[in-house]
Amino acid sequence: VRRSAPPPSSPPRETYHHGNLRQALLDAAVALVQELGPDAVSVREVARRAGVSSGAPFRHFADKTALMTAVAEEGARHLRGETEAAMAAASEDPIARFRASGIAFVLFAVKHPGHFRVMNMPEYAGPSRSAMIGEMVATGTARTRDLVARAQAEGRMPEGDPEAILLAARALVYGLARLFADGHCAQMGIGPEQAKDVAEAVTGVLGRGLVRKPERPPQPARPTRKKAKRR
Amino acid sequence: VRRSAPPPSSPPRETYHHGNLRQALLDAAVALVQELGPDAVSVREVARRAGVSSGAPFRHFADKTALMTAVAEEGARHLRGETEAAMAAASEDPIARFRASGIAFVLFAVKHPGHFRVMNMPEYAGPSRSAMIGEMVATGTARTRDLVARAQAEGRMPEGDPEAILLAARALVYGLARLFADGHCAQMGIGPEQAKDVAEAVTGVLGRGLVRKPERPPQPARPTRKKAKRR
DNA sequence: ACCTGAACACCGTTCAAGT
DNA sequence: ACCTGAACACCGTTCAAGT
């Protein structure tokens, strides 16, 4: 890709020191991920958008991977903040909290798709890259496990293996978040403004249960139209 | 990243023409995504692994993005094949088929994480990049919608908005697939060999239903331990 | 038809020099 | 302390030349 000299999008700063370059670099990287995808992030373009020279970012980040990991960690901190706010607003009821945390997760992905995508790239946010993120995931999982245990103790969830419930809930919520962040929802005509309603509907389906008679064999099947055999 | 001259991993071919370069390039790209992530794919490295010069790939792909889109489309064809095989093996029961297609999707992601990740990057697989993938998603959705309608007609699924059921199922299955492809399952100690069991358990949770009494207010809450206020 | 290898603009990273 | 800008190896892409 050849770029001709871009018009200086930001006026040259008047001080020699930037003042808040680290944050400006993170912001530019997130914007690039959002606009063009993670592969389009280049340290030089990030520096350009922040109005500094090509070498300046390396005073703040060891290398490009460290910059991306910092984006992931910033996202993780935001997510924790929004989750805690949602928890503070929710009632004490374990199922309400369970659901509210899932909805907060989805809304985070909708609001910060750039952060969200980077946070979920193992090359940048895996445990070998960020112990912090690993710990945050672990404590989040532990809290959710606790909510499920309380709900089960109150007889409001089936007694079966809580890990399966936990994993199903996590998959549902992670999947919906990624459907938004990966643009699949947009393709289906579901815009960000519908995210809250959709998240409530979808978590409602999991809560309410889908199939009524799980273990019963199907009633004597009325003949269904056969599809043509594969040729 | 500085690379010293790599030992020629593949012996130089004896014919001037490669014979199957296009496929070799796709294979190398997928392997790179799997090993090091999508950002690590470079056309030159792909060419190196295929044993050809740096310019050769451009005889087969217009540019790097086209190569990645071709990876995505190859993945989509594999997925369609595996889904059709699973459908052929499943009974006529709509709920069994519904579930089998979800499990096939998850197993595809476990088996082909490189393809799967690229297939879900909007920059490479979005509708502006590949009409084929868009159509395949649409026909897959239509088939699943049909299964839900049949199940509802037989009284085996709740009558509510089928779109919510569809989206919940898609989120659950997509989420579990991505939990594997993004390495989250590995972090939780869930290896690929457990994928089938896990997919069955998780789809079972959605099918069986989670919360027993959805619309009832919680019983007069026994006092729960309060958390310290945020400071 | 298909592949090579030089060419050029661009990117990651370093580092001596500037403020 | 923090930023600049030249330097170098690498990457995307083109294209005249080779088979």
Side-chain angles (χ1 to χ4, degrees):
Chain A
V1 179
R2 305 282 149 80
R3 259 188 227 86
S4 43
S9 51
S10 47
R13 82 209 109 86
E14 58 291 333
T15 60
Y16 186 81
H17 284 87
H18 185 287
N20 202 8
L21 180 54
R22 192 190 140 90
Q23 189 60 47
L25 295 168
L26 290 175
D27 294 347
V30 170
L32 268 169
V33 174
Q34 226 138 299
E35 290 168 29
L36 301 166
D39 295 21
V41 176
S42 82
V43 177
R44 289 180 106 106
E45 178 64 17
V46 163
R48 232 173 265 130
R49 290 187 175 206
V52 294
S53 71
S54 63
F58 296 95
R59 198 64 43 181
H60 297 271
F61 303 102
D63 52 25
K64 180 185 172 175
T65 303
L67 167 65
M68 297 299 268
T69 299
V71 168
E73 293 189 337
E74 184 182 49
R77 274 190 300 275
H78 287 171
L79 172 60
R80 184 176 51 193
E82 295 189 14
T83 303
E84 280 174 3
M87 288 298 93
S91 76
E92 279 293 330
D93 178 59
I95 288 183
R97 298 181 82 77
F98 185 53
R99 190 175 182 184
S101 69
I103 291 174
F105 187 87
V106 173
L107 295 182
F108 170 81
V110 171
K111 209 167 185 216
H112 307 284
H115 280 111
F116 185 77
R117 287 182 72 180
V118 177
M119 285 167 67
N120 287 292
M121 297 181 71
E123 302 79 37
Y124 300 131
S128 69
R129 295 288 321 161
S130 168
M132 187 208 105
I133 293 178
E135 283 162 29
M136 273 187 45
V137 172
T139 67
T141 303
R143 282 180 192 174
T144 312
R145 204 192 311 273
D146 212 57
L147 292 175
V148 170
R150 281 170 58 194
Q152 286 183 318
E154 295 177 16
R156 306 191 47 224
M157 275 192 193
E159 291 104 17
D161 180 10
E163 293 307 313
I165 294 174
L166 224 35
L167 190 56
R170 187 167 169 189
L172 185 86
V173 157
Y174 184 57
L176 185 57
R178 288 224 68 137
L179 286 174
F180 276 105
D182 296 339
H184 289 118
C185 280
Q187 273 171 248
M188 302 167 69
I190 302 175
E193 72 287 349
Q194 300 175 57
K196 199 175 176 213
D197 291 344
V198 163
E200 283 170 358
V202 162
T203 55
V205 171
L206 182 65
R208 198 172 308 122
L210 235 188
V211 180
R212 277 174 181 163
K213 314 187 175 173
E215 307 297 344
R216 291 272 150 269
Q219 59 242 46
R222 21 168 185 163
T224 55
R225 50 196 151 75
K226 296 222 163 127
K227 294 243 168 87
K229 289 218 163 150
R230 280 176 305 158
R231 32 200 162 119
Chain B
V1 180
R2 305 281 148 82
R3 260 190 227 83
S4 41
S9 51
S10 47
R13 83 209 108 84
E14 60 291 333
T15 60
Y16 187 80
H17 285 85
H18 185 286
N20 201 9
L21 181 54
R22 192 190 140 89
Q23 189 58 48
L25 294 168
L26 291 175
D27 294 346
V30 170
L32 267 169
V33 174
Q34 225 137 302
E35 290 167 29
L36 301 166
D39 295 20
V41 177
S42 82
V43 177
R44 289 180 107 106
E45 177 65 17
V46 163
R48 231 173 266 129
R49 291 188 175 205
V52 294
S53 70
S54 62
F58 296 95
R59 198 64 42 181
H60 297 270
F61 302 101
D63 52 26
K64 179 184 172 175
T65 302
L67 167 65
M68 297 299 268
T69 298
V71 168
E73 293 190 337
E74 184 182 50
R77 275 189 299 275
H78 287 171
L79 172 60
R80 183 176 51 192
E82 295 189 14
T83 303
E84 281 175 3
M87 288 299 93
S91 77
E92 279 294 330
D93 177 59
I95 288 184
R97 297 181 82 76
F98 185 53
R99 190 174 182 184
S101 69
I103 291 174
F105 187 87
V106 172
L107 294 183
F108 170 81
V110 171
K111 209 167 184 214
H112 307 284
H115 280 110
F116 185 78
R117 287 183 71 181
V118 177
M119 285 167 67
N120 289 292
M121 296 181 71
E123 302 80 36
Y124 301 131
S128 69
R129 295 289 322 161
S130 168
M132 186 210 105
I133 293 179
E135 284 162 29
M136 273 187 45
V137 172
T139 67
T141 303
R143 282 179 192 175
T144 312
R145 203 192 314 271
D146 212 58
L147 292 175
V148 170
R150 281 169 58 194
Q152 286 183 319
E154 295 177 14
R156 306 192 46 227
M157 274 191 195
E159 291 104 17
D161 181 9
E163 293 306 311
I165 293 174
L166 224 35
L167 189 56
R170 186 168 170 191
L172 185 87
V173 158
Y174 184 57
L176 185 58
R178 289 225 67 138
L179 286 174
F180 276 105
D182 295 341
H184 289 118
C185 280
Q187 272 171 248
M188 302 166 69
I190 302 175
E193 73 288 349
Q194 300 174 57
K196 200 177 176 210
D197 291 344
V198 164
E200 283 171 357
V202 162
T203 54
V205 170
L206 183 64
R208 199 171 308 120
L210 234 189
V211 180
R212 277 173 181 164
K213 312 187 175 172
E215 306 300 343
R216 290 271 150 270
Q219 59 242 48
R222 21 167 184 163
T224 55
R225 51 195 151 76
K226 297 224 161 129
K227 295 245 168 84
K229 290 218 160 149
R230 278 178 303 158
R231 27 191 168 126

